[in-house]
Amino acid sequence: SISDRPTISLLPTSQPTFQASCSYLVNASYSELMLENYTSLEDAYDSLTYGHANYTCAESMIIDNQQYEKAIPYLWCVLPHCHANCPGTSCPTKLVGIDDADECESAVYNYLGYVHRKKDTPDYEAAEEYYTEALQLWSSNCGALEYLTELYVDRSNETYATKTLTQLCTDCGHSDATTKAAISYLKASDMGVPSIDVCNTNNATKDDDAGTSEKMDETTSESGFLGARVGSIVYGVIAACCFVALVFLMRWLRKSVKGV
């Protein structure tokens, strides 16, 4: 649980003399980037050797390379720079359009939640706490609302998944990319998509039902058509058999008459 973690000073480390490229960090091993001695994962990244962590490289680790374990200490190194450098050109999330200190921290906490949910041994409890922290800092963080919805789907909590999806649709709109992603996640799950007016999923449900009905009608129609075809064939066979039998009967009668 993140509430049990040790309290450390969230201040940026001194300016390093070397700044490793993101590609180098992505290709480096987990242990290579860690200090030999550290208190917790919050101060484990060796920034003095490899330079300050930055948000865009964290995204590359997480989204492009699925390096969830490695991203945890790296993200903790990004976090102190939010309040130290936002707003401003050095704000860690400046390149993604976020220049507010609280929103920057919210974005980092959101990814901390994501990596804890996606790592090999998921920690759903910690992930939920990080998402909650992200939303406390920025209540309309659409990404955090999307990921929190997905977490509740992962945990088969339909009530909270529906509640969070409703908030996502309300705050971010039913056509936002994060909303669409959350709905797709629900659709692919056993839970399915709940019917929510503000999410415009009522029509989607009706469309699905209509599609199913149309398929059933098509199947019924095809079955009726095939039945009619089979009936016609059977009738034709019977008629042909009767005709052949009648021909043989006529020939037999003629022979019988001649014999008399």
Side-chain angles (χ1 to χ4, degrees):
S1 171
I2 64 172
S3 58
D4 298 329
R5 68 177 187 254
T7 302
I8 64 171
S9 177
L10 290 179
L11 295 173
T13 57
S14 57
Q15 182 63 40
T17 57
F18 172 72
Q19 184 69 49
S21 67
C22 187
S23 60
Y24 179 91
L25 297 173
V26 167
N27 291 319
S29 66
Y30 176 87
S31 59
E32 183 182 348
L33 301 181
M34 306 285 275
L35 291 168
E36 288 187 12
N37 299 298
Y38 54 87
T39 306
S40 72
L41 290 179
E42 296 182 26
D43 63 348
Y45 173 68
D46 189 356
S47 61
L48 293 177
T49 300
Y50 299 105
H52 289 317
N54 68 79
Y55 185 82
T56 53
C57 188
E59 279 194 314
S60 179
M61 284 183 185
I62 298 165
I63 303 302
D64 299 330
N65 296 280
Q66 295 78 52
Q67 296 177 342
Y68 306 127
E69 299 282 356
K70 185 194 292 185
I72 294 173
Y74 192 78
L75 283 166
W76 279 117
C77 189
V78 175
L79 191 65
H81 295 276
C82 289
H83 272 279
N85 298 319
C86 300
T89 56
S90 297
C91 180
T93 52
K94 181 77 172 181
L95 292 177
V96 295
I98 299 172
D99 197 32
D100 176 82
D102 284 346
E103 292 181 4
C104 173
E105 282 197 356
S106 176
V108 175
Y109 276 117
N110 182 36
Y111 269 144
L112 279 168
Y114 185 82
V115 294
H116 278 81
R117 179 166 67 94
K118 291 293 187 178
K119 65 180 185 171
D120 290 341
T121 304
D123 187 342
Y124 293 120
E125 182 181 349
E128 184 174 4
E129 289 190 46
Y130 287 128
Y131 290 142
T132 301
E133 182 74 21
L135 291 168
Q136 287 175 347
L137 288 162
W138 180 15
S139 62
S140 58
N141 183 334
C142 301
L145 288 169
E146 176 205 335
Y147 289 156
L148 184 57
T149 301
E150 293 176 3
L151 179 142
Y152 289 134
V153 173
D154 292 342
R155 304 191 76 177
S156 301
N157 191 330
E158 186 171 357
T159 299
Y160 277 84
T162 301
K163 179 181 178 181
T164 311
L165 178 62
T166 301
Q167 184 181 348
L168 173 60
C169 295
T170 301
D171 292 351
C172 306
H174 70 268
S175 61
D176 189 79
T178 55
T179 306
K180 290 180 178 179
I183 290 173
S184 295
Y185 200 83
L186 277 155
K187 187 177 291 186
S189 72
D190 294 335
M191 193 177 295
V193 182
S195 180
I196 305 171
D197 288 337
V198 72
C199 295
N200 203 31
T201 52
N202 286 331
N203 292 334
T205 303
K206 290 177 181 177
D207 290 342
D208 289 342
D209 292 342
T212 302
S213 178
E214 287 177 4
K215 289 180 181 178
M216 291 178 65
D217 290 342
E218 289 174 3
T219 302
T220 303
S221 177
E222 289 176 2
S223 298
F225 176 72
L226 289 173
R229 288 288 303 275
V230 171
S232 298
I233 292 171
V234 171
Y235 179 80
V237 170
I238 293 172
C241 290
C242 290
F243 177 76
V244 171
L246 182 60
V247 170
F248 278 105
L249 178 61
M250 292 294 292
R251 288 181 179 178
W252 181 80
L253 288 173
R254 286 176 183 174
K255 289 181 180 180
S256 297
V257 171
K258 288 180 180 180
V260 175

Coordinates of all heavy atoms in Angstrom, one line a residue, residues 96-167:
V96 N 3.4 17.7 -23.5 CA 2.1 17.0 -23.7 C 0.9 18.0 -23.4 O -0.2 17.6 -23.2 CB 1.9 15.7 -22.9 CG1 2.9 14.7 -23.4 CG2 2.1 16.0 -21.4
G97 N 1.3 19.3 -23.3 CA 0.3 20.3 -23.1 C -0.2 20.6 -21.7 O -1.2 21.2 -21.5
I98 N 0.6 20.1 -20.7 CA 0.3 20.3 -19.3 C 1.4 21.2 -18.7 O 2.5 20.8 -18.6 CB 0.1 19.0 -18.6 CG1 -1.0 18.1 -19.2 CG2 -0.1 19.2 -17.1 CD1 -1.0 16.7 -18.6
D99 N 1.0 22.4 -18.2 CA 2.0 23.3 -17.6 C 1.6 23.7 -16.2 O 2.3 24.5 -15.6 CB 2.0 24.5 -18.5 CG 3.3 25.4 -18.3 OD1 4.3 24.8 -18.0 OD2 3.2 26.6 -18.4
D100 N 0.6 23.0 -15.6 CA 0.3 23.3 -14.2 C 0.9 22.3 -13.3 O 1.0 21.1 -13.6 CB -1.3 23.2 -14.1 CG -1.7 23.4 -12.7 OD1 -1.8 24.6 -12.2 OD2 -2.0 22.4 -12.0
A101 N 1.4 22.7 -12.1 CA 2.1 21.8 -11.2 C 1.3 20.7 -10.7 O 1.7 19.5 -10.8 CB 2.7 22.6 -10.1
D102 N 0.1 21.0 -10.3 CA -0.8 19.9 -9.8 C -1.2 18.9 -10.9 O -1.3 17.7 -10.7 CB -2.1 20.5 -9.2 CG -1.8 21.1 -7.8 OD1 -0.8 20.8 -7.2 OD2 -2.7 21.8 -7.3
E103 N -1.5 19.5 -12.1 CA -1.9 18.6 -13.2 C -0.7 17.7 -13.7 O -0.9 16.6 -14.1 CB -2.4 19.4 -14.3 CG -3.8 20.1 -14.0 CD -4.4 20.9 -15.1 OE1 -3.7 20.9 -16.2 OE2 -5.4 21.5 -15.0
C104 N 0.5 18.3 -13.6 CA 1.7 17.6 -13.9 C 1.9 16.4 -12.9 O 2.1 15.2 -13.3 CB 2.9 18.5 -13.8 SG 4.5 17.6 -14.0
E105 N 1.7 16.7 -11.6 CA 1.8 15.6 -10.6 C 0.7 14.5 -10.9 O 0.9 13.3 -10.7 CB 1.7 16.1 -9.2 CG 3.0 16.8 -8.7 CD 3.0 17.0 -7.2 OE1 2.0 16.6 -6.5 OE2 4.0 17.4 -6.7
S106 N -0.5 15.0 -11.2 CA -1.6 14.1 -11.5 C -1.2 13.2 -12.6 O -1.5 12.0 -12.6 CB -2.8 14.9 -11.8 OG -3.9 14.1 -12.2
A107 N -0.6 13.7 -13.7 CA -0.2 12.9 -14.8 C 0.8 11.8 -14.4 O 0.7 10.7 -14.9 CB 0.3 13.8 -15.9
V108 N 1.7 12.2 -13.5 CA 2.7 11.2 -13.1 C 2.1 10.1 -12.2 O 2.3 8.9 -12.4 CB 3.9 11.9 -12.3 CG1 4.8 10.9 -11.8 CG2 4.6 12.9 -13.2
Y109 N 1.2 10.6 -11.3 CA 0.5 9.6 -10.4 C -0.4 8.6 -11.3 O -0.5 7.5 -11.0 CB -0.3 10.3 -9.4 CG 0.4 10.7 -8.2 CD1 0.6 12.0 -7.8 CD2 1.0 9.7 -7.3 CE1 1.3 12.4 -6.7 CE2 1.7 10.1 -6.2 CZ 1.9 11.5 -5.9 OH 2.6 11.8 -4.7
N110 N -0.9 9.2 -12.3 CA -1.8 8.3 -13.2 C -0.9 7.2 -13.8 O -1.3 6.1 -13.8 CB -2.4 9.2 -14.3 CG -3.2 8.4 -15.3 OD1 -4.0 7.5 -14.8 ND2 -3.2 8.8 -16.5
Y111 N 0.3 7.6 -14.3 CA 1.2 6.5 -14.8 C 1.7 5.6 -13.8 O 1.9 4.4 -14.0 CB 2.3 7.2 -15.6 CG 2.0 7.4 -17.1 CD1 2.5 8.5 -17.7 CD2 1.3 6.4 -17.8 CE1 2.3 8.7 -19.1 CE2 1.0 6.6 -19.1 CZ 1.5 7.8 -19.8 OH 1.3 7.9 -21.1
L112 N 1.9 6.1 -12.5 CA 2.2 5.2 -11.5 C 1.1 4.2 -11.2 O 1.4 3.0 -11.0 CB 2.5 6.0 -10.2 CG 3.9 6.6 -10.1 CD1 4.0 7.6 -8.9 CD2 5.0 5.6 -9.9
G113 N -0.1 4.6 -11.3 CA -1.2 3.7 -11.2 C -1.2 2.7 -12.3 O -1.4 1.5 -12.1
Y114 N -1.0 3.1 -13.5 CA -1.0 2.3 -14.7 C 0.1 1.2 -14.6 O -0.2 0.0 -14.9 CB -0.8 3.1 -15.9 CG -0.9 2.4 -17.2 CD1 -2.1 2.1 -17.8 CD2 0.2 1.9 -17.9 CE1 -2.3 1.4 -19.0 CE2 0.1 1.2 -19.1 CZ -1.1 1.0 -19.6 OH -1.2 0.3 -20.8
V115 N 1.3 1.6 -14.2 CA 2.4 0.6 -14.2 C 2.2 -0.5 -13.1 O 2.5 -1.6 -13.2 CB 3.8 1.2 -14.1 CG1 4.1 2.0 -15.4 CG2 3.9 2.1 -12.9
H116 N 1.6 0.0 -12.0 CA 1.3 -1.0 -10.9 C 0.2 -1.9 -11.3 O 0.2 -3.1 -10.9 CB 0.9 -0.2 -9.6 CG 2.1 0.2 -8.8 ND1 2.8 1.4 -9.2 CD2 2.8 -0.3 -7.8 CE1 3.8 1.5 -8.3 NE2 3.8 0.5 -7.5
R117 N -0.7 -1.5 -12.2 CA -1.8 -2.4 -12.7 C -1.3 -3.3 -13.8 O -1.8 -4.5 -13.9 CB -2.9 -1.5 -13.2 CG -4.1 -2.3 -13.8 CD -5.3 -1.4 -13.9 NE -5.2 -0.4 -15.0 CZ -5.5 -0.6 -16.2 NH1 -6.1 -1.7 -16.6 NH2 -5.4 0.4 -17.1
K118 N -0.3 -2.9 -14.5 CA 0.1 -3.6 -15.7 C 1.4 -4.5 -15.5 O 1.7 -5.4 -16.3 CB 0.4 -2.7 -16.9 CG -0.8 -2.0 -17.5 CD -1.7 -3.0 -18.1 CE -2.9 -2.4 -18.9 NZ -3.7 -3.4 -19.6
K119 N 2.1 -4.3 -14.4 CA 3.3 -5.1 -14.2 C 3.0 -6.6 -14.0 O 1.8 -7.0 -13.8 CB 4.1 -4.6 -13.0 CG 3.4 -4.7 -11.7 CD 4.2 -4.1 -10.5 CE 3.6 -4.4 -9.2 NZ 4.5 -4.0 -8.1
D120 N 4.0 -7.4 -14.1 CA 3.8 -8.9 -14.1 C 3.0 -9.4 -12.9 O 2.1 -10.2 -13.1 CB 5.2 -9.6 -14.1 CG 5.9 -9.4 -15.4 OD1 5.3 -9.1 -16.4 OD2 7.2 -9.6 -15.4
T121 N 3.2 -8.8 -11.7 CA 2.4 -9.1 -10.6 C 1.6 -7.8 -10.2 O 2.1 -7.0 -9.5 CB 3.2 -9.6 -9.4 OG1 4.0 -10.7 -9.8 CG2 2.4 -10.0 -8.2
P122 N 0.4 -7.7 -10.7 CA -0.3 -6.4 -10.5 C -0.6 -6.1 -9.1 O -0.8 -7.0 -8.3 CB -1.6 -6.7 -11.3 CG -1.4 -7.8 -12.2 CD -0.3 -8.7 -11.6
D123 N -0.5 -4.9 -8.7 CA -0.8 -4.4 -7.4 C -2.0 -3.5 -7.5 O -1.9 -2.2 -7.7 CB 0.4 -3.7 -6.8 CG 0.1 -3.3 -5.3 OD1 -1.0 -3.3 -4.9 OD2 1.1 -3.0 -4.6
Y124 N -3.2 -4.0 -7.6 CA -4.4 -3.3 -7.9 C -4.7 -2.3 -6.8 O -5.2 -1.2 -7.0 CB -5.6 -4.2 -8.1 CG -5.5 -5.1 -9.3 CD1 -5.5 -6.4 -9.2 CD2 -5.4 -4.5 -10.6 CE1 -5.4 -7.2 -10.4 CE2 -5.4 -5.2 -11.7 CZ -5.4 -6.6 -11.6 OH -5.3 -7.4 -12.8
E125 N -4.4 -2.6 -5.5 CA -4.7 -1.7 -4.4 C -3.8 -0.4 -4.5 O -4.3 0.7 -4.4 CB -4.4 -2.4 -3.1 CG -4.7 -1.5 -1.9 CD -4.3 -2.2 -0.6 OE1 -4.1 -3.5 -0.6 OE2 -4.3 -1.5 0.5
A126 N -2.5 -0.6 -4.8 CA -1.7 0.6 -5.0 C -2.1 1.3 -6.2 O -2.1 2.6 -6.2 CB -0.2 0.1 -5.1
A127 N -2.4 0.6 -7.3 CA -2.9 1.3 -8.5 C -4.1 2.2 -8.3 O -4.1 3.4 -8.7 CB -3.2 0.3 -9.6
E128 N -5.0 1.7 -7.5 CA -6.2 2.5 -7.2 C -5.9 3.7 -6.4 O -6.4 4.8 -6.6 CB -7.3 1.6 -6.5 CG -8.6 2.3 -6.2 CD -9.6 1.4 -5.6 OE1 -9.3 0.2 -5.3 OE2 -10.8 1.9 -5.4
E129 N -5.0 3.5 -5.5 CA -4.6 4.7 -4.6 C -3.9 5.8 -5.5 O -4.1 7.0 -5.3 CB -3.7 4.2 -3.5 CG -4.4 3.4 -2.4 CD -3.5 3.2 -1.2 OE1 -2.9 4.1 -0.7 OE2 -3.5 2.0 -0.7
Y130 N -3.0 5.3 -6.4 CA -2.4 6.3 -7.3 C -3.4 7.0 -8.2 O -3.3 8.2 -8.4 CB -1.3 5.6 -8.1 CG -0.1 5.2 -7.3 CD1 0.4 3.9 -7.3 CD2 0.6 6.2 -6.5 CE1 1.5 3.6 -6.6 CE2 1.7 5.8 -5.7 CZ 2.2 4.5 -5.8 OH 3.3 4.1 -5.1
Y131 N -4.3 6.3 -8.7 CA -5.3 6.9 -9.6 C -6.1 7.9 -8.7 O -6.5 9.0 -9.2 CB -6.3 5.9 -10.2 CG -5.7 5.0 -11.2 CD1 -6.0 3.6 -11.3 CD2 -4.8 5.5 -12.2 CE1 -5.5 2.8 -12.3 CE2 -4.3 4.6 -13.2 CZ -4.6 3.3 -13.2 OH -4.1 2.5 -14.2
T132 N -6.5 7.5 -7.5 CA -7.2 8.4 -6.6 C -6.4 9.7 -6.3 O -7.0 10.8 -6.3 CB -7.6 7.7 -5.3 OG1 -8.3 6.5 -5.6 CG2 -8.4 8.6 -4.4
E133 N -5.1 9.5 -6.1 CA -4.3 10.7 -5.8 C -4.2 11.6 -7.1 O -4.3 12.8 -7.0 CB -2.8 10.2 -5.5 CG -1.8 11.3 -5.2 CD -2.1 11.9 -3.9 OE1 -2.7 11.3 -3.0 OE2 -1.6 13.0 -3.7
A134 N -4.2 11.0 -8.2 CA -4.2 11.7 -9.5 C -5.4 12.6 -9.6 O -5.4 13.7 -10.0 CB -4.0 10.8 -10.7
L135 N -6.6 12.0 -9.3 CA -7.9 12.6 -9.4 C -8.1 13.7 -8.3 O -8.8 14.6 -8.5 CB -9.0 11.6 -9.4 CG -9.0 10.8 -10.7 CD1 -10.0 9.6 -10.6 CD2 -9.4 11.6 -11.9
Q136 N -7.5 13.5 -7.2 CA -7.5 14.5 -6.1 C -6.8 15.8 -6.6 O -7.2 16.9 -6.2 CB -7.0 14.0 -4.8 CG -7.9 13.0 -4.1 CD -7.3 12.3 -2.9 OE1 -6.1 12.5 -2.7 NE2 -8.1 11.6 -2.1
L137 N -5.7 15.6 -7.3 CA -4.9 16.7 -7.8 C -5.6 17.4 -9.0 O -5.5 18.6 -9.2 CB -3.5 16.3 -8.2 CG -2.6 15.9 -7.0 CD1 -1.4 15.0 -7.5 CD2 -2.1 17.2 -6.3
W138 N -6.3 16.6 -9.8 CA -6.9 17.1 -11.0 C -8.1 16.2 -11.3 O -8.0 15.1 -11.9 CB -5.9 17.0 -12.1 CG -6.3 17.4 -13.5 CD1 -7.4 18.2 -13.8 CD2 -5.6 17.2 -14.7 NE1 -7.4 18.4 -15.1 CE2 -6.4 17.8 -15.7 CE3 -4.5 16.5 -15.1 CZ2 -6.0 17.8 -17.1 CZ3 -4.1 16.4 -16.4 CH2 -4.9 17.1 -17.4
S139 N -9.3 16.7 -10.9 CA -10.5 15.9 -10.9 C -10.9 15.4 -12.2 O -11.6 14.4 -12.4 CB -11.6 16.6 -10.1 OG -11.9 17.8 -10.8
S140 N -10.6 16.2 -13.3 CA -11.0 15.9 -14.6 C -9.9 15.4 -15.5 O -9.8 15.6 -16.7 CB -11.6 17.1 -15.3 OG -10.7 18.2 -15.3
N141 N -8.9 14.6 -14.8 CA -7.9 14.0 -15.5 C -8.5 12.8 -16.3 O -8.7 11.7 -15.7 CB -6.8 13.5 -14.6 CG -5.6 12.8 -15.3 OD1 -5.7 12.3 -16.4 ND2 -4.4 12.9 -14.6
C142 N -8.7 13.0 -17.6 CA -9.5 12.0 -18.4 C -8.7 10.7 -18.4 O -9.3 9.6 -18.4 CB -9.7 12.6 -19.8 SG -10.6 14.1 -19.9
G143 N -7.4 10.7 -18.5 CA -6.6 9.5 -18.6 C -6.7 8.7 -17.3 O -6.9 7.5 -17.4
A144 N -6.7 9.4 -16.2 CA -6.9 8.7 -14.9 C -8.3 8.1 -14.8 O -8.4 7.0 -14.2 CB -6.6 9.7 -13.7
L145 N -9.3 8.8 -15.2 CA -10.6 8.3 -15.2 C -10.8 7.0 -16.1 O -11.5 6.1 -15.7 CB -11.6 9.3 -15.6 CG -11.9 10.5 -14.6 CD1 -12.7 11.6 -15.2 CD2 -12.6 9.9 -13.3
E146 N -10.1 7.1 -17.2 CA -10.2 5.9 -18.1 C -9.5 4.7 -17.5 O -10.1 3.6 -17.4 CB -9.4 6.2 -19.4 CG -9.3 5.0 -20.4 CD -8.2 5.1 -21.3 OE1 -7.7 6.2 -21.6 OE2 -7.7 4.0 -21.8
Y147 N -8.3 4.9 -17.0 CA -7.5 3.8 -16.4 C -8.2 3.3 -15.1 O -8.1 2.1 -14.8 CB -6.1 4.2 -16.1 CG -5.2 4.5 -17.3 CD1 -4.1 5.3 -17.3 CD2 -5.5 3.8 -18.5 CE1 -3.3 5.5 -18.4 CE2 -4.7 4.0 -19.6 CZ -3.6 4.9 -19.6 OH -2.8 5.0 -20.7
L148 N -8.8 4.2 -14.3 CA -9.5 3.7 -13.1 C -10.7 2.9 -13.5 O -11.0 1.9 -12.9 CB -9.9 4.9 -12.3 CG -10.6 4.6 -10.9 CD1 -9.7 3.7 -10.1 CD2 -11.0 5.9 -10.2
T149 N -11.4 3.3 -14.6 CA -12.5 2.5 -15.1 C -12.0 1.1 -15.5 O -12.6 0.0 -15.1 CB -13.2 3.1 -16.3 OG1 -13.7 4.4 -16.0 CG2 -14.4 2.3 -16.8
E150 N -10.9 1.0 -16.2 CA -10.3 -0.3 -16.6 C -9.9 -1.1 -15.4 O -10.1 -2.3 -15.4 CB -9.2 0.0 -17.5 CG -9.6 0.6 -18.9 CD -8.4 0.9 -19.7 OE1 -7.2 0.6 -19.3 OE2 -8.6 1.5 -20.8
L151 N -9.4 -0.4 -14.4 CA -9.0 -1.2 -13.2 C -10.2 -1.9 -12.5 O -10.2 -3.0 -12.1 CB -8.4 -0.2 -12.1 CG -7.9 -0.9 -10.8 CD1 -6.6 -0.3 -10.3 CD2 -9.0 -0.7 -9.7
Y152 N -11.4 -1.2 -12.5 CA -12.6 -1.8 -11.9 C -13.1 -2.9 -12.8 O -13.7 -3.9 -12.3 CB -13.6 -0.7 -11.7 CG -13.3 0.3 -10.6 CD1 -13.5 1.7 -10.7 CD2 -12.8 -0.2 -9.3 CE1 -13.1 2.5 -9.7 CE2 -12.5 0.7 -8.3 CZ -12.7 2.1 -8.5 OH -12.4 2.9 -7.5
V153 N -12.9 -2.8 -14.1 CA -13.2 -3.9 -15.0 C -12.3 -5.1 -14.6 O -12.8 -6.2 -14.5 CB -13.1 -3.5 -16.4 CG1 -13.3 -4.7 -17.4 CG2 -14.1 -2.4 -16.8
D154 N -11.0 -4.8 -14.5 CA -10.1 -5.9 -14.2 C -10.5 -6.6 -12.9 O -10.3 -7.8 -12.7 CB -8.7 -5.4 -14.0 CG -8.1 -4.9 -15.3 OD1 -8.6 -5.2 -16.4 OD2 -7.1 -4.1 -15.3
R155 N -11.0 -5.9 -11.9 CA -11.4 -6.4 -10.6 C -12.9 -6.8 -10.6 O -13.4 -7.2 -9.5 CB -11.1 -5.4 -9.5 CG -9.7 -4.9 -9.5 CD -9.3 -4.1 -8.3 NE -9.1 -5.0 -7.1 CZ -8.8 -4.6 -5.9 NH1 -8.5 -3.3 -5.7 NH2 -8.6 -5.4 -4.9
S156 N -13.5 -6.8 -11.7 CA -14.9 -7.3 -11.9 C -15.9 -6.5 -10.9 O -16.8 -7.0 -10.4 CB -15.0 -8.8 -11.6 OG -14.2 -9.5 -12.4
N157 N -15.6 -5.2 -10.7 CA -16.4 -4.3 -9.9 C -17.3 -3.5 -10.8 O -16.9 -2.4 -11.2 CB -15.5 -3.4 -9.0 CG -16.3 -2.7 -8.0 OD1 -17.5 -2.4 -8.2 ND2 -15.7 -2.4 -6.8
E158 N -18.4 -4.1 -11.2 CA -19.3 -3.4 -12.2 C -19.8 -2.1 -11.7 O -20.0 -1.1 -12.5 CB -20.4 -4.3 -12.6 CG -21.3 -3.8 -13.7 CD -22.3 -4.8 -14.2 OE1 -22.2 -6.0 -13.8 OE2 -23.1 -4.5 -15.1
T159 N -20.2 -2.0 -10.4 CA -20.7 -0.8 -9.8 C -19.8 0.4 -10.0 O -20.2 1.4 -10.4 CB -21.1 -1.0 -8.3 OG1 -22.0 -2.1 -8.2 CG2 -21.7 0.2 -7.7
Y160 N -18.5 0.2 -9.6 CA -17.6 1.3 -9.6 C -17.1 1.5 -11.1 O -16.8 2.7 -11.4 CB -16.4 1.0 -8.7 CG -16.7 1.4 -7.3 CD1 -17.3 0.5 -6.4 CD2 -16.3 2.6 -6.8 CE1 -17.6 0.8 -5.1 CE2 -16.5 2.9 -5.5 CZ -17.2 2.1 -4.6 OH -17.5 2.4 -3.3
A161 N -17.1 0.5 -11.9 CA -16.7 0.7 -13.3 C -17.8 1.6 -14.0 O -17.4 2.6 -14.7 CB -16.6 -0.6 -14.0
T162 N -19.0 1.4 -13.7 CA -20.1 2.2 -14.2 C -20.1 3.6 -13.7 O -20.2 4.6 -14.5 CB -21.5 1.5 -13.9 OG1 -21.5 0.2 -14.4 CG2 -22.6 2.3 -14.5
K163 N -19.8 3.7 -12.4 CA -19.8 5.0 -11.8 C -18.6 5.9 -12.4 O -18.8 7.1 -12.7 CB -19.6 4.9 -10.3 CG -19.5 6.2 -9.5 CD -19.3 5.9 -8.0 CE -19.1 7.2 -7.2 NZ -18.9 6.9 -5.8
T164 N -17.4 5.3 -12.5 CA -16.3 6.0 -13.0 C -16.4 6.3 -14.5 O -16.1 7.4 -14.9 CB -15.0 5.2 -12.8 OG1 -15.0 4.7 -11.4 CG2 -13.8 6.0 -13.1
L165 N -17.0 5.4 -15.3 CA -17.3 5.7 -16.7 C -18.2 6.8 -16.8 O -18.1 7.7 -17.7 CB -17.8 4.4 -17.4 CG -18.2 4.6 -18.9 CD1 -16.9 4.9 -19.7 CD2 -18.8 3.3 -19.4
T166 N -19.2 6.9 -16.0 CA -20.2 8.0 -16.0 C -19.5 9.3 -15.8 O -19.8 10.3 -16.4 CB -21.3 7.8 -14.9 OG1 -22.0 6.5 -15.2 CG2 -22.3 8.9 -15.0
Q167 N -18.6 9.3 -14.8 CA -17.8 10.6 -14.5 C -16.9 10.9 -15.7 O -16.8 12.1 -16.0 CB -17.0 10.4 -13.2 CG -16.3 11.7 -12.8 CD -15.4 11.5 -11.6 OE1 -15.5 10.5 -10.9 NE2 -14.5 12.5 -11.3

